[in-house]
Amino acid sequence: MAQYPQWSYSQSRANMFDECLRKYYFHYYAAHNGWNDRLGSPEQVHAYRLKQLRNFYLLFGDLAHRMCESALRQLNDGKQAPRPEFLSQTMRQLLNDAYVQSKDRDAWLRNPKQHMMLSEVYYGDDTLTSRISTIRERQQECVRHLYATRTWQEVSQPGMNILEIEKWDHLILFDTKVYVKMDLLYRRPDHNVVIVDWKTGREDDFSDQLYLYASYVQEKYNLPLDQIVIRVEYLVTGDHQEYSVTREDIDRVERNIGSYIQEMKSCLDDDYYNRPKPETFFTPMPSARKCRDCNFREMCTPV
């Protein structure tokens, strides 16, 4: 069992690094080896359990992506796509199951990776009722809009070639494994390829990681950038936005990733083994909103 986690980069890692260094430490270092309560320290076990908490919004986003993935895979296999009523019922049932599972704290303590625990239930948050109401509305809109999206209308046509659906892969930048996972990649009859990103939140939620995806697609599929289209589908509203890709976009994003990697490695005592500096080096960045939703709030002592 490795003493320290493997080094890698992802957009979610960068987001957490920006959000709070102490949270970053708990998630990526303190929780390492905590899945084994015989070999891990009490702090590692505690951090690992808290790392597995899911809040209602993140759970809903994951389920919406699974809904899209399931429908696309059936379409790609030549099968009839699931009825909207079935998708809605399934999502509602999974959300309800997550709430019911969260009531069994002992089962979660025994197996936090496989047993669901909502952070709102674990911490007894008073936001749970309002969040359930919000998610119910969003769920109905997402299901209603999926089959009306431009993406679905296109991939349902003859001659479309689905290349990747929710597939983990990586590229190497600055001697670092950089993870990519596109929601959907398909090729149109005009030979252009479309990178699709499903969104279940606000409409200004565009991430530079989509340009990173374009860099990956250019390299893996040997395509010129003018044949790559980025499309963001906002499932709650049914709207979408499309973006072209330039070399300048990719260069800017890759330079930004290089800066993140350099800053992250400055938090290490040994970057060969990925050994972090002491916990006290990772300064908490307290804020009312971020601390309220942080999985590790009961471990943290903000300065």
Side-chain angles (χ1 to χ4, degrees):
M1 186 167 62
Q3 187 174 2
Y4 304 106
Q6 285 189 333
W7 166 251
S8 64
Y9 174 91
S10 66
Q11 183 65 46
S12 58
R13 185 177 188 132
N15 292 343
M16 192 174 294
F17 189 79
D18 280 341
E19 181 182 350
C20 177
L21 286 178
R22 183 62 59 83
K23 181 178 182 179
Y24 173 84
Y25 169 79
F26 285 143
H27 186 95
Y28 287 100
Y29 293 102
H32 182 63
N33 288 336
W35 53 84
N36 191 320
D37 58 7
R38 294 188 303 275
L39 300 178
S41 69
E43 182 195 44
Q44 287 173 313
V45 173
H46 190 190
Y48 178 77
R49 285 171 175 161
L50 296 181
K51 180 179 177 178
Q52 309 310 315
L53 293 176
R54 309 287 298 282
N55 75 49
F56 228 85
Y57 288 135
L58 291 179
L59 174 62
F60 168 69
D62 288 345
L63 291 179
H65 278 75
R66 286 167 57 185
M67 171 190 75
C68 297
E69 178 185 1
S70 175
L72 286 165
R73 291 196 184 280
Q74 290 198 212
L75 177 70
N76 199 38
D77 290 341
K79 301 176 182 177
Q80 185 174 0
R83 293 177 300 106
E85 295 79 10
F86 174 79
L87 292 175
S88 184
Q89 179 183 1
T90 301
M91 289 184 68
R92 186 165 55 248
Q93 184 62 53
L94 290 172
L95 288 167
N96 185 64
D97 289 347
Y99 177 76
V100 172
Q101 280 194 35
S102 297
K103 294 295 187 179
D104 192 343
R105 188 185 182 97
D106 290 339
W108 175 75
L109 290 172
R110 289 192 300 270
N111 194 350
K113 184 69 173 181
Q114 301 300 325
H115 191 91
M116 177 66 67
M117 174 60 73
L118 292 168
S119 62
E120 294 92 343
V121 174
Y122 181 80
Y123 284 111
D125 292 347
D126 58 8
T127 59
L128 182 60
T129 300
S130 63
R131 290 186 177 188
I132 289 175
S133 177
T134 299
I135 292 304
R136 281 176 177 167
E137 293 177 7
R138 291 186 184 181
Q139 176 233 322
Q140 293 171 357
E141 294 303 309
C142 287
V143 172
R144 185 168 67 87
H145 288 136
L146 172 61
Y147 293 141
T149 61
R150 179 170 182 182
T151 294
W152 188 267
Q153 295 301 313
E154 282 198 347
V155 296
S156 302
Q157 299 300 313
M160 297 293 173
N161 181 19
I162 293 179
L163 301 173
E164 297 186 19
I165 306 173
E166 298 280 357
K167 176 185 175 184
W168 279 106
D169 209 332
H170 71 275
L171 65 163
I172 302 296
L173 290 175
F174 308 102
D175 298 320
T176 295
K177 182 180 288 187
V178 177
Y179 284 104
V180 296
K181 184 186 180 187
M182 292 172 288
D183 296 339
L184 172 65
L185 177 70
Y186 68 95
R187 193 192 306 272
R188 299 191 298 214
D190 62 6
H191 303 296
N192 288 350
V193 298
V194 183
I195 298 169
V196 179
D197 195 49
W198 306 110
K199 295 293 187 185
T200 58
R202 62 186 187 278
E203 288 206 13
D204 61 346
D205 189 12
F206 178 86
S207 171
D208 276 350
Q209 73 174 334
L210 297 176
Y211 290 128
L212 177 65
Y213 293 168
S215 178
Y216 160 84
V217 169
Q218 179 191 34
E219 179 180 329
K220 179 173 180 178
Y221 294 94
N222 192 27
L223 288 170
L225 290 178
D226 60 8
Q227 285 186 232
I228 300 174
V229 177
I230 293 173
R231 182 183 301 137
V232 183
E233 294 277 12
Y234 298 100
L235 291 171
V236 173
T237 63
D239 296 328
H240 73 274
Q241 296 288 338
E242 290 193 357
Y243 305 86
S244 57
V245 185
T246 67
R247 186 70 248 173
E248 290 74 19
D249 292 325
I250 290 178
D251 289 344
R252 174 179 56 80
V253 170
E254 291 184 352
R255 285 195 303 270
N256 196 36
I257 289 173
S259 296
Y260 269 109
I261 289 173
Q262 187 175 17
E263 291 177 15
M264 289 173 178
K265 286 192 172 183
S266 73
C267 299
L268 303 175
D269 272 338
D270 187 325
D271 62 10
Y272 180 81
Y273 290 104
N274 194 26
R275 184 174 74 234
K277 291 181 182 296
E279 177 183 328
T280 52
F281 179 85
F282 296 83
T283 308
M285 303 175 186
S287 77
R289 182 184 63 82
K290 292 178 181 178
C291 291
R292 180 196 65 194
D293 286 329
C294 180
N295 285 3
F296 302 101
R297 69 187 92 161
E298 73 180 12
M299 291 187 71
C300 186
T301 305
V303 294

